[in-house]
Amino acid sequence: MPDPRKIDGYPRQAWSGDERAYVEHLVAHRHAAEQPEPREDDPQTVRLLFELLTAQRRIAAGLTELITALREAAGRPDPRTGR
């Protein structure tokens, strides 16, 4: 089935129920691929990867705070925050 969003001149109001369901499926699939969330049925390897990702995000946030603190200590405020 072609993606009805890509058919020129075919407004959403004209989509059949199957086409609407198909588009919802495509959107959900894209979201799951671009922003995966942990699931209870994930294998241990996937759960460990999510834990690693969370830890790396915490590290990145800490490094950002360190950069800001070093700039403040040097008397150079961050242009984004003015601090």
Side-chain angles (χ1 to χ4, degrees):
M1 174 183 292
D3 185 346
R5 296 172 297 175
K6 300 193 191 276
I7 300 173
D8 289 334
Y10 191 42
R12 183 179 293 262
Q13 297 84 356
W15 294 357
S16 70
D18 286 342
E19 288 170 323
R20 286 188 194 97
Y22 181 61
V23 168
E24 288 175 16
H25 165 78
L26 292 176
V27 169
H29 183 48
R30 171 174 263 168
H31 177 75
E34 291 175 353
Q35 308 223 353
E37 297 291 329
R39 298 186 320 214
E40 290 191 22
D41 63 341
D42 282 338
Q44 182 179 7
T45 304
V46 173
R47 281 183 274 151
L48 290 172
L49 287 171
F50 273 111
E51 289 176 19
L52 177 62
L53 183 60
T54 300
Q56 288 180 337
R57 286 180 178 150
R58 273 189 250 132
I59 291 169
L63 291 174
T64 301
E65 290 177 14
L66 178 60
I67 290 168
T68 301
L70 290 171
R71 284 181 175 163
E72 288 175 1
R76 296 181 182 165
D78 187 330
R80 293 174 295 150
T81 62
R83 298 187 283 149

PDB file of all heavy atoms in Angstrom, residues 13-49:
ATOM      1  N   GLN A  13      -8.855  13.980   4.283  1.00  0.00           N
ATOM      2  CA  GLN A  13     -10.293  13.708   4.419  1.00  0.00           C
ATOM      3  C   GLN A  13     -10.749  12.575   3.493  1.00  0.00           C
ATOM      4  O   GLN A  13     -11.755  11.933   3.744  1.00  0.00           O
ATOM      5  CB  GLN A  13     -11.136  14.963   4.113  1.00  0.00           C
ATOM      6  CG  GLN A  13     -10.896  16.115   5.051  1.00  0.00           C
ATOM      7  CD  GLN A  13      -9.697  16.965   4.644  1.00  0.00           C
ATOM      8  OE1 GLN A  13      -8.981  16.678   3.700  1.00  0.00           O
ATOM      9  NE2 GLN A  13      -9.471  18.030   5.414  1.00  0.00           N
ATOM     10  N   ALA A  14     -10.017  12.334   2.420  1.00  0.00           N
ATOM     11  CA  ALA A  14     -10.406  11.308   1.445  1.00  0.00           C
ATOM     12  C   ALA A  14      -9.809   9.931   1.764  1.00  0.00           C
ATOM     13  O   ALA A  14     -10.132   8.960   1.094  1.00  0.00           O
ATOM     14  CB  ALA A  14      -9.977  11.737   0.036  1.00  0.00           C
ATOM     15  N   TRP A  15      -8.969   9.847   2.798  1.00  0.00           N
ATOM     16  CA  TRP A  15      -8.334   8.579   3.125  1.00  0.00           C
ATOM     17  C   TRP A  15      -9.358   7.591   3.652  1.00  0.00           C
ATOM     18  O   TRP A  15     -10.273   7.939   4.396  1.00  0.00           O
ATOM     19  CB  TRP A  15      -7.269   8.749   4.182  1.00  0.00           C
ATOM     20  CG  TRP A  15      -6.077   9.562   3.762  1.00  0.00           C
ATOM     21  CD1 TRP A  15      -5.837  10.108   2.541  1.00  0.00           C
ATOM     22  CD2 TRP A  15      -5.001   9.935   4.601  1.00  0.00           C
ATOM     23  NE1 TRP A  15      -4.649  10.792   2.565  1.00  0.00           N
ATOM     24  CE2 TRP A  15      -4.115  10.701   3.824  1.00  0.00           C
ATOM     25  CE3 TRP A  15      -4.677   9.703   5.917  1.00  0.00           C
ATOM     26  CZ2 TRP A  15      -2.937  11.221   4.332  1.00  0.00           C
ATOM     27  CZ3 TRP A  15      -3.505  10.216   6.429  1.00  0.00           C
ATOM     28  CH2 TRP A  15      -2.641  10.969   5.630  1.00  0.00           C
ATOM     29  N   SER A  16      -9.174   6.337   3.314  1.00  0.00           N
ATOM     30  CA  SER A  16     -10.036   5.281   3.858  1.00  0.00           C
ATOM     31  C   SER A  16      -9.582   4.956   5.278  1.00  0.00           C
ATOM     32  O   SER A  16      -8.505   5.383   5.722  1.00  0.00           O
ATOM     33  CB  SER A  16      -9.938   4.028   2.988  1.00  0.00           C
ATOM     34  OG  SER A  16      -8.660   3.431   3.145  1.00  0.00           O
ATOM     35  N   GLY A  17     -10.364   4.195   5.985  1.00  0.00           N
ATOM     36  CA  GLY A  17      -9.987   3.773   7.330  1.00  0.00           C
ATOM     37  C   GLY A  17      -8.692   2.973   7.331  1.00  0.00           C
ATOM     38  O   GLY A  17      -7.863   3.116   8.231  1.00  0.00           O
ATOM     39  N   ASP A  18      -8.523   2.126   6.312  1.00  0.00           N
ATOM     40  CA  ASP A  18      -7.288   1.349   6.204  1.00  0.00           C
ATOM     41  C   ASP A  18      -6.086   2.259   5.987  1.00  0.00           C
ATOM     42  O   ASP A  18      -5.013   2.028   6.540  1.00  0.00           O
ATOM     43  CB  ASP A  18      -7.380   0.345   5.056  1.00  0.00           C
ATOM     44  CG  ASP A  18      -8.278  -0.835   5.381  1.00  0.00           C
ATOM     45  OD1 ASP A  18      -8.558  -1.065   6.581  1.00  0.00           O
ATOM     46  OD2 ASP A  18      -8.694  -1.530   4.437  1.00  0.00           O
ATOM     47  N   GLU A  19      -6.256   3.292   5.170  1.00  0.00           N
ATOM     48  CA  GLU A  19      -5.141   4.217   4.920  1.00  0.00           C
ATOM     49  C   GLU A  19      -4.783   4.983   6.192  1.00  0.00           C
ATOM     50  O   GLU A  19      -3.610   5.177   6.499  1.00  0.00           O
ATOM     51  CB  GLU A  19      -5.498   5.178   3.782  1.00  0.00           C
ATOM     52  CG  GLU A  19      -5.505   4.486   2.435  1.00  0.00           C
ATOM     53  CD  GLU A  19      -6.090   5.334   1.325  1.00  0.00           C
ATOM     54  OE1 GLU A  19      -7.063   6.084   1.588  1.00  0.00           O
ATOM     55  OE2 GLU A  19      -5.579   5.226   0.198  1.00  0.00           O
ATOM     56  N   ARG A  20      -5.796   5.411   6.935  1.00  0.00           N
ATOM     57  CA  ARG A  20      -5.527   6.108   8.203  1.00  0.00           C
ATOM     58  C   ARG A  20      -4.778   5.197   9.168  1.00  0.00           C
ATOM     59  O   ARG A  20      -3.818   5.601   9.821  1.00  0.00           O
ATOM     60  CB  ARG A  20      -6.826   6.587   8.843  1.00  0.00           C
ATOM     61  CG  ARG A  20      -7.428   7.781   8.153  1.00  0.00           C
ATOM     62  CD  ARG A  20      -8.614   8.333   8.964  1.00  0.00           C
ATOM     63  NE  ARG A  20      -9.370   9.247   8.132  1.00  0.00           N
ATOM     64  CZ  ARG A  20     -10.457   8.925   7.455  1.00  0.00           C
ATOM     65  NH1 ARG A  20     -10.960   7.709   7.535  1.00  0.00           N
ATOM     66  NH2 ARG A  20     -11.061   9.805   6.700  1.00  0.00           N
ATOM     67  N   ALA A  21      -5.220   3.946   9.269  1.00  0.00           N
ATOM     68  CA  ALA A  21      -4.560   2.980  10.156  1.00  0.00           C
ATOM     69  C   ALA A  21      -3.116   2.735   9.701  1.00  0.00           C
ATOM     70  O   ALA A  21      -2.202   2.618  10.528  1.00  0.00           O
ATOM     71  CB  ALA A  21      -5.340   1.675  10.196  1.00  0.00           C
ATOM     72  N   TYR A  22      -2.913   2.669   8.393  1.00  0.00           N
ATOM     73  CA  TYR A  22      -1.580   2.438   7.859  1.00  0.00           C
ATOM     74  C   TYR A  22      -0.659   3.613   8.191  1.00  0.00           C
ATOM     75  O   TYR A  22       0.492   3.420   8.606  1.00  0.00           O
ATOM     76  CB  TYR A  22      -1.652   2.210   6.349  1.00  0.00           C
ATOM     77  CG  TYR A  22      -0.324   1.939   5.693  1.00  0.00           C
ATOM     78  CD1 TYR A  22       0.438   0.838   6.057  1.00  0.00           C
ATOM     79  CD2 TYR A  22       0.165   2.784   4.703  1.00  0.00           C
ATOM     80  CE1 TYR A  22       1.653   0.582   5.461  1.00  0.00           C
ATOM     81  CE2 TYR A  22       1.383   2.534   4.098  1.00  0.00           C
ATOM     82  CZ  TYR A  22       2.126   1.431   4.473  1.00  0.00           C
ATOM     83  OH  TYR A  22       3.330   1.187   3.880  1.00  0.00           O
ATOM     84  N   VAL A  23      -1.159   4.828   8.043  1.00  0.00           N
ATOM     85  CA  VAL A  23      -0.351   6.003   8.361  1.00  0.00           C
ATOM     86  C   VAL A  23      -0.032   6.023   9.862  1.00  0.00           C
ATOM     87  O   VAL A  23       1.103   6.316  10.257  1.00  0.00           O
ATOM     88  CB  VAL A  23      -1.052   7.299   7.908  1.00  0.00           C
ATOM     89  CG1 VAL A  23      -0.366   8.525   8.485  1.00  0.00           C
ATOM     90  CG2 VAL A  23      -1.069   7.377   6.389  1.00  0.00           C
ATOM     91  N   GLU A  24      -1.003   5.697  10.705  1.00  0.00           N
ATOM     92  CA  GLU A  24      -0.738   5.638  12.145  1.00  0.00           C
ATOM     93  C   GLU A  24       0.351   4.607  12.442  1.00  0.00           C
ATOM     94  O   GLU A  24       1.217   4.839  13.284  1.00  0.00           O
ATOM     95  CB  GLU A  24      -2.014   5.307  12.913  1.00  0.00           C
ATOM     96  CG  GLU A  24      -3.004   6.449  12.959  1.00  0.00           C
ATOM     97  CD  GLU A  24      -4.313   6.050  13.629  1.00  0.00           C
ATOM     98  OE1 GLU A  24      -4.347   5.003  14.323  1.00  0.00           O
ATOM     99  OE2 GLU A  24      -5.289   6.800  13.486  1.00  0.00           O
ATOM    100  N   HIS A  25       0.296   3.475  11.756  1.00  0.00           N
ATOM    101  CA  HIS A  25       1.319   2.445  11.924  1.00  0.00           C
ATOM    102  C   HIS A  25       2.691   2.981  11.502  1.00  0.00           C
ATOM    103  O   HIS A  25       3.696   2.764  12.199  1.00  0.00           O
ATOM    104  CB  HIS A  25       0.951   1.205  11.089  1.00  0.00           C
ATOM    105  CG  HIS A  25       2.087   0.256  10.909  1.00  0.00           C
ATOM    106  ND1 HIS A  25       2.486  -0.623  11.885  1.00  0.00           N
ATOM    107  CD2 HIS A  25       2.918   0.064   9.857  1.00  0.00           C
ATOM    108  CE1 HIS A  25       3.519  -1.319  11.440  1.00  0.00           C
ATOM    109  NE2 HIS A  25       3.797  -0.929  10.215  1.00  0.00           N
ATOM    110  N   LEU A  26       2.761   3.680  10.365  1.00  0.00           N
ATOM    111  CA  LEU A  26       4.031   4.232   9.896  1.00  0.00           C
ATOM    112  C   LEU A  26       4.594   5.246  10.884  1.00  0.00           C
ATOM    113  O   LEU A  26       5.792   5.254  11.175  1.00  0.00           O
ATOM    114  CB  LEU A  26       3.852   4.890   8.521  1.00  0.00           C
ATOM    115  CG  LEU A  26       3.543   3.965   7.345  1.00  0.00           C
ATOM    116  CD1 LEU A  26       3.296   4.789   6.080  1.00  0.00           C
ATOM    117  CD2 LEU A  26       4.674   2.965   7.127  1.00  0.00           C
ATOM    118  N   VAL A  27       3.724   6.095  11.418  1.00  0.00           N
ATOM    119  CA  VAL A  27       4.159   7.113  12.378  1.00  0.00           C
ATOM    120  C   VAL A  27       4.675   6.443  13.652  1.00  0.00           C
ATOM    121  O   VAL A  27       5.726   6.814  14.185  1.00  0.00           O
ATOM    122  CB  VAL A  27       3.012   8.094  12.683  1.00  0.00           C
ATOM    123  CG1 VAL A  27       3.342   8.992  13.859  1.00  0.00           C
ATOM    124  CG2 VAL A  27       2.696   8.927  11.442  1.00  0.00           C
ATOM    125  N   ALA A  28       3.959   5.442  14.148  1.00  0.00           N
ATOM    126  CA  ALA A  28       4.388   4.734  15.359  1.00  0.00           C
ATOM    127  C   ALA A  28       5.714   4.013  15.124  1.00  0.00           C
ATOM    128  O   ALA A  28       6.597   4.016  15.993  1.00  0.00           O
ATOM    129  CB  ALA A  28       3.311   3.748  15.800  1.00  0.00           C
ATOM    130  N   HIS A  29       5.867   3.420  13.957  1.00  0.00           N
ATOM    131  CA  HIS A  29       7.106   2.716  13.638  1.00  0.00           C
ATOM    132  C   HIS A  29       8.275   3.686  13.574  1.00  0.00           C
ATOM    133  O   HIS A  29       9.360   3.417  14.108  1.00  0.00           O
ATOM    134  CB  HIS A  29       6.937   1.971  12.316  1.00  0.00           C
ATOM    135  CG  HIS A  29       8.122   1.159  11.924  1.00  0.00           C
ATOM    136  ND1 HIS A  29       8.758   0.298  12.777  1.00  0.00           N
ATOM    137  CD2 HIS A  29       8.796   1.074  10.756  1.00  0.00           C
ATOM    138  CE1 HIS A  29       9.777  -0.279  12.156  1.00  0.00           C
ATOM    139  NE2 HIS A  29       9.818   0.184  10.938  1.00  0.00           N
ATOM    140  N   ARG A  30       8.074   4.825  12.942  1.00  0.00           N
ATOM    141  CA  ARG A  30       9.140   5.830  12.854  1.00  0.00           C
ATOM    142  C   ARG A  30       9.518   6.324  14.246  1.00  0.00           C
ATOM    143  O   ARG A  30      10.690   6.464  14.571  1.00  0.00           O
ATOM    144  CB  ARG A  30       8.721   6.993  11.973  1.00  0.00           C
ATOM    145  CG  ARG A  30       9.735   8.148  12.061  1.00  0.00           C
ATOM    146  CD  ARG A  30       9.427   9.241  11.119  1.00  0.00           C
ATOM    147  NE  ARG A  30      10.279   8.988   9.960  1.00  0.00           N
ATOM    148  CZ  ARG A  30      10.163   9.577   8.809  1.00  0.00           C
ATOM    149  NH1 ARG A  30       9.215  10.447   8.606  1.00  0.00           N
ATOM    150  NH2 ARG A  30      10.979   9.305   7.824  1.00  0.00           N
ATOM    151  N   HIS A  31       8.507   6.606  15.078  1.00  0.00           N
ATOM    152  CA  HIS A  31       8.782   7.079  16.439  1.00  0.00           C
ATOM    153  C   HIS A  31       9.587   6.029  17.212  1.00  0.00           C
ATOM    154  O   HIS A  31      10.548   6.359  17.902  1.00  0.00           O
ATOM    155  CB  HIS A  31       7.477   7.401  17.170  1.00  0.00           C
ATOM    156  CG  HIS A  31       7.695   7.825  18.587  1.00  0.00           C
ATOM    157  ND1 HIS A  31       8.168   9.068  18.913  1.00  0.00           N
ATOM    158  CD2 HIS A  31       7.530   7.163  19.754  1.00  0.00           C
ATOM    159  CE1 HIS A  31       8.286   9.156  20.223  1.00  0.00           C
ATOM    160  NE2 HIS A  31       7.899   8.013  20.762  1.00  0.00           N
ATOM    161  N   ALA A  32       9.202   4.768  17.099  1.00  0.00           N
ATOM    162  CA  ALA A  32       9.905   3.696  17.802  1.00  0.00           C
ATOM    163  C   ALA A  32      11.345   3.560  17.315  1.00  0.00           C
ATOM    164  O   ALA A  32      12.242   3.237  18.092  1.00  0.00           O
ATOM    165  CB  ALA A  32       9.166   2.382  17.640  1.00  0.00           C
ATOM    166  N   ALA A  33      11.572   3.831  16.036  1.00  0.00           N
ATOM    167  CA  ALA A  33      12.918   3.724  15.476  1.00  0.00           C
ATOM    168  C   ALA A  33      13.778   4.926  15.859  1.00  0.00           C
ATOM    169  O   ALA A  33      14.969   4.786  16.132  1.00  0.00           O
ATOM    170  CB  ALA A  33      12.850   3.603  13.956  1.00  0.00           C
ATOM    171  N   GLU A  34      13.177   6.108  15.912  1.00  0.00           N
ATOM    172  CA  GLU A  34      13.945   7.321  16.187  1.00  0.00           C
ATOM    173  C   GLU A  34      14.091   7.600  17.679  1.00  0.00           C
ATOM    174  O   GLU A  34      15.074   8.195  18.102  1.00  0.00           O
ATOM    175  CB  GLU A  34      13.285   8.523  15.512  1.00  0.00           C
ATOM    176  CG  GLU A  34      13.381   8.473  13.994  1.00  0.00           C
ATOM    177  CD  GLU A  34      12.634   9.597  13.309  1.00  0.00           C
ATOM    178  OE1 GLU A  34      11.914  10.352  13.988  1.00  0.00           O
ATOM    179  OE2 GLU A  34      12.773   9.713  12.085  1.00  0.00           O
ATOM    180  N   GLN A  35      13.104   7.209  18.465  1.00  0.00           N
ATOM    181  CA  GLN A  35      13.133   7.470  19.897  1.00  0.00           C
ATOM    182  C   GLN A  35      12.683   6.224  20.650  1.00  0.00           C
ATOM    183  O   GLN A  35      11.607   6.205  21.235  1.00  0.00           O
ATOM    184  CB  GLN A  35      12.211   8.645  20.230  1.00  0.00           C
ATOM    185  CG  GLN A  35      12.493   9.842  19.391  1.00  0.00           C
ATOM    186  CD  GLN A  35      12.480  11.110  20.206  1.00  0.00           C
ATOM    187  OE1 GLN A  35      12.147  11.108  21.366  1.00  0.00           O
ATOM    188  NE2 GLN A  35      12.841  12.186  19.574  1.00  0.00           N
ATOM    189  N   PRO A  36      13.515   5.198  20.629  1.00  0.00           N
ATOM    190  CA  PRO A  36      13.096   3.950  21.271  1.00  0.00           C
ATOM    191  C   PRO A  36      12.959   4.116  22.780  1.00  0.00           C
ATOM    192  O   PRO A  36      13.673   4.891  23.398  1.00  0.00           O
ATOM    193  CB  PRO A  36      14.218   2.976  20.920  1.00  0.00           C
ATOM    194  CG  PRO A  36      15.399   3.827  20.659  1.00  0.00           C
ATOM    195  CD  PRO A  36      14.870   5.118  20.099  1.00  0.00           C
ATOM    196  N   GLU A  37      12.035   3.408  23.330  1.00  0.00           N
ATOM    197  CA  GLU A  37      11.800   3.385  24.766  1.00  0.00           C
ATOM    198  C   GLU A  37      12.028   1.959  25.258  1.00  0.00           C
ATOM    199  O   GLU A  37      11.740   1.002  24.547  1.00  0.00           O
ATOM    200  CB  GLU A  37      10.349   3.798  25.073  1.00  0.00           C
ATOM    201  CG  GLU A  37      10.003   5.223  24.661  1.00  0.00           C
ATOM    202  CD  GLU A  37      10.709   6.265  25.497  1.00  0.00           C
ATOM    203  OE1 GLU A  37      10.966   5.988  26.698  1.00  0.00           O
ATOM    204  OE2 GLU A  37      11.026   7.328  24.963  1.00  0.00           O
ATOM    205  N   PRO A  38      12.533   1.817  26.470  1.00  0.00           N
ATOM    206  CA  PRO A  38      12.701   0.462  26.994  1.00  0.00           C
ATOM    207  C   PRO A  38      11.351  -0.239  27.143  1.00  0.00           C
ATOM    208  O   PRO A  38      10.344   0.398  27.456  1.00  0.00           O
ATOM    209  CB  PRO A  38      13.338   0.683  28.369  1.00  0.00           C
ATOM    210  CG  PRO A  38      13.639   2.117  28.493  1.00  0.00           C
ATOM    211  CD  PRO A  38      12.982   2.841  27.382  1.00  0.00           C
ATOM    212  N   ARG A  39      11.364  -1.538  26.901  1.00  0.00           N
ATOM    213  CA  ARG A  39      10.156  -2.343  27.057  1.00  0.00           C
ATOM    214  C   ARG A  39      10.454  -3.471  28.028  1.00  0.00           C
ATOM    215  O   ARG A  39      11.604  -3.882  28.184  1.00  0.00           O
ATOM    216  CB  ARG A  39       9.716  -2.917  25.713  1.00  0.00           C
ATOM    217  CG  ARG A  39       9.354  -1.866  24.696  1.00  0.00           C
ATOM    218  CD  ARG A  39       8.796  -2.461  23.424  1.00  0.00           C
ATOM    219  NE  ARG A  39       9.492  -3.669  22.994  1.00  0.00           N
ATOM    220  CZ  ARG A  39       9.685  -4.016  21.746  1.00  0.00           C
ATOM    221  NH1 ARG A  39       9.243  -3.263  20.772  1.00  0.00           N
ATOM    222  NH2 ARG A  39      10.313  -5.142  21.434  1.00  0.00           N
ATOM    223  N   GLU A  40       9.425  -3.978  28.655  1.00  0.00           N
ATOM    224  CA  GLU A  40       9.618  -5.046  29.627  1.00  0.00           C
ATOM    225  C   GLU A  40      10.125  -6.329  28.988  1.00  0.00           C
ATOM    226  O   GLU A  40      10.810  -7.113  29.645  1.00  0.00           O
ATOM    227  CB  GLU A  40       8.325  -5.305  30.389  1.00  0.00           C
ATOM    228  CG  GLU A  40       7.972  -4.177  31.335  1.00  0.00           C
ATOM    229  CD  GLU A  40       6.855  -4.549  32.274  1.00  0.00           C
ATOM    230  OE1 GLU A  40       6.634  -5.757  32.493  1.00  0.00           O
ATOM    231  OE2 GLU A  40       6.208  -3.636  32.785  1.00  0.00           O
ATOM    232  N   ASP A  41       9.809  -6.546  27.718  1.00  0.00           N
ATOM    233  CA  ASP A  41      10.228  -7.788  27.066  1.00  0.00           C
ATOM    234  C   ASP A  41      11.585  -7.670  26.370  1.00  0.00           C
ATOM    235  O   ASP A  41      11.993  -8.580  25.650  1.00  0.00           O
ATOM    236  CB  ASP A  41       9.166  -8.254  26.082  1.00  0.00           C
ATOM    237  CG  ASP A  41       8.938  -7.275  24.937  1.00  0.00           C
ATOM    238  OD1 ASP A  41       9.310  -6.088  25.072  1.00  0.00           O
ATOM    239  OD2 ASP A  41       8.373  -7.685  23.913  1.00  0.00           O
ATOM    240  N   ASP A  42      12.303  -6.560  26.593  1.00  0.00           N
ATOM    241  CA  ASP A  42      13.625  -6.395  25.982  1.00  0.00           C
ATOM    242  C   ASP A  42      14.610  -7.413  26.548  1.00  0.00           C
ATOM    243  O   ASP A  42      14.592  -7.706  27.751  1.00  0.00           O
ATOM    244  CB  ASP A  42      14.177  -4.985  26.265  1.00  0.00           C
ATOM    245  CG  ASP A  42      13.572  -3.925  25.375  1.00  0.00           C
ATOM    246  OD1 ASP A  42      13.069  -4.267  24.298  1.00  0.00           O
ATOM    247  OD2 ASP A  42      13.609  -2.738  25.764  1.00  0.00           O
ATOM    248  N   PRO A  43      15.495  -7.925  25.703  1.00  0.00           N
ATOM    249  CA  PRO A  43      16.548  -8.801  26.214  1.00  0.00           C
ATOM    250  C   PRO A  43      17.513  -8.009  27.103  1.00  0.00           C
ATOM    251  O   PRO A  43      17.552  -6.775  27.052  1.00  0.00           O
ATOM    252  CB  PRO A  43      17.252  -9.315  24.967  1.00  0.00           C
ATOM    253  CG  PRO A  43      16.706  -8.571  23.820  1.00  0.00           C
ATOM    254  CD  PRO A  43      15.525  -7.784  24.264  1.00  0.00           C
ATOM    255  N   GLN A  44      18.288  -8.706  27.897  1.00  0.00           N
ATOM    256  CA  GLN A  44      19.192  -8.055  28.839  1.00  0.00           C
ATOM    257  C   GLN A  44      20.158  -7.108  28.132  1.00  0.00           C
ATOM    258  O   GLN A  44      20.450  -6.032  28.635  1.00  0.00           O
ATOM    259  CB  GLN A  44      19.971  -9.091  29.636  1.00  0.00           C
ATOM    260  CG  GLN A  44      20.883  -8.444  30.669  1.00  0.00           C
ATOM    261  CD  GLN A  44      21.646  -9.448  31.489  1.00  0.00           C
ATOM    262  OE1 GLN A  44      21.613 -10.635  31.216  1.00  0.00           O
ATOM    263  NE2 GLN A  44      22.344  -8.978  32.494  1.00  0.00           N
ATOM    264  N   THR A  45      20.637  -7.480  26.959  1.00  0.00           N
ATOM    265  CA  THR A  45      21.573  -6.625  26.223  1.00  0.00           C
ATOM    266  C   THR A  45      20.945  -5.273  25.917  1.00  0.00           C
ATOM    267  O   THR A  45      21.586  -4.232  26.087  1.00  0.00           O
ATOM    268  CB  THR A  45      22.006  -7.309  24.905  1.00  0.00           C
ATOM    269  OG1 THR A  45      22.544  -8.582  25.209  1.00  0.00           O
ATOM    270  CG2 THR A  45      23.010  -6.467  24.158  1.00  0.00           C
ATOM    271  N   VAL A  46      19.698  -5.267  25.504  1.00  0.00           N
ATOM    272  CA  VAL A  46      19.014  -4.009  25.190  1.00  0.00           C
ATOM    273  C   VAL A  46      18.823  -3.195  26.464  1.00  0.00           C
ATOM    274  O   VAL A  46      19.025  -1.979  26.482  1.00  0.00           O
ATOM    275  CB  VAL A  46      17.676  -4.287  24.480  1.00  0.00           C
ATOM    276  CG1 VAL A  46      16.874  -3.010  24.312  1.00  0.00           C
ATOM    277  CG2 VAL A  46      17.924  -4.946  23.132  1.00  0.00           C
ATOM    278  N   ARG A  47      18.449  -3.845  27.560  1.00  0.00           N
ATOM    279  CA  ARG A  47      18.281  -3.127  28.827  1.00  0.00           C
ATOM    280  C   ARG A  47      19.599  -2.494  29.270  1.00  0.00           C
ATOM    281  O   ARG A  47      19.629  -1.350  29.721  1.00  0.00           O
ATOM    282  CB  ARG A  47      17.749  -4.062  29.909  1.00  0.00           C
ATOM    283  CG  ARG A  47      16.242  -4.275  29.765  1.00  0.00           C
ATOM    284  CD  ARG A  47      15.711  -5.143  30.869  1.00  0.00           C
ATOM    285  NE  ARG A  47      15.919  -6.518  30.387  1.00  0.00           N
ATOM    286  CZ  ARG A  47      16.129  -7.568  31.137  1.00  0.00           C
ATOM    287  NH1 ARG A  47      16.161  -7.458  32.427  1.00  0.00           N
ATOM    288  NH2 ARG A  47      16.300  -8.751  30.614  1.00  0.00           N
ATOM    289  N   LEU A  48      20.700  -3.227  29.097  1.00  0.00           N
ATOM    290  CA  LEU A  48      22.007  -2.682  29.465  1.00  0.00           C
ATOM    291  C   LEU A  48      22.386  -1.503  28.572  1.00  0.00           C
ATOM    292  O   LEU A  48      22.992  -0.526  29.041  1.00  0.00           O
ATOM    293  CB  LEU A  48      23.067  -3.778  29.389  1.00  0.00           C
ATOM    294  CG  LEU A  48      22.969  -4.858  30.463  1.00  0.00           C
ATOM    295  CD1 LEU A  48      23.949  -5.989  30.160  1.00  0.00           C
ATOM    296  CD2 LEU A  48      23.202  -4.286  31.843  1.00  0.00           C
ATOM    297  N   LEU A  49      22.025  -1.564  27.305  1.00  0.00           N
ATOM    298  CA  LEU A  49      22.299  -0.435  26.408  1.00  0.00           C
ATOM    299  C   LEU A  49      21.513   0.800  26.820  1.00  0.00           C
ATOM    300  O   LEU A  49      22.028   1.918  26.765  1.00  0.00           O
ATOM    301  CB  LEU A  49      21.994  -0.822  24.957  1.00  0.00           C
ATOM    302  CG  LEU A  49      22.990  -1.780  24.318  1.00  0.00           C
ATOM    303  CD1 LEU A  49      22.465  -2.265  22.975  1.00  0.00           C
ATOM    304  CD2 LEU A  49      24.346  -1.127  24.171  1.00  0.00           C
TER     305      LEU A  49
END
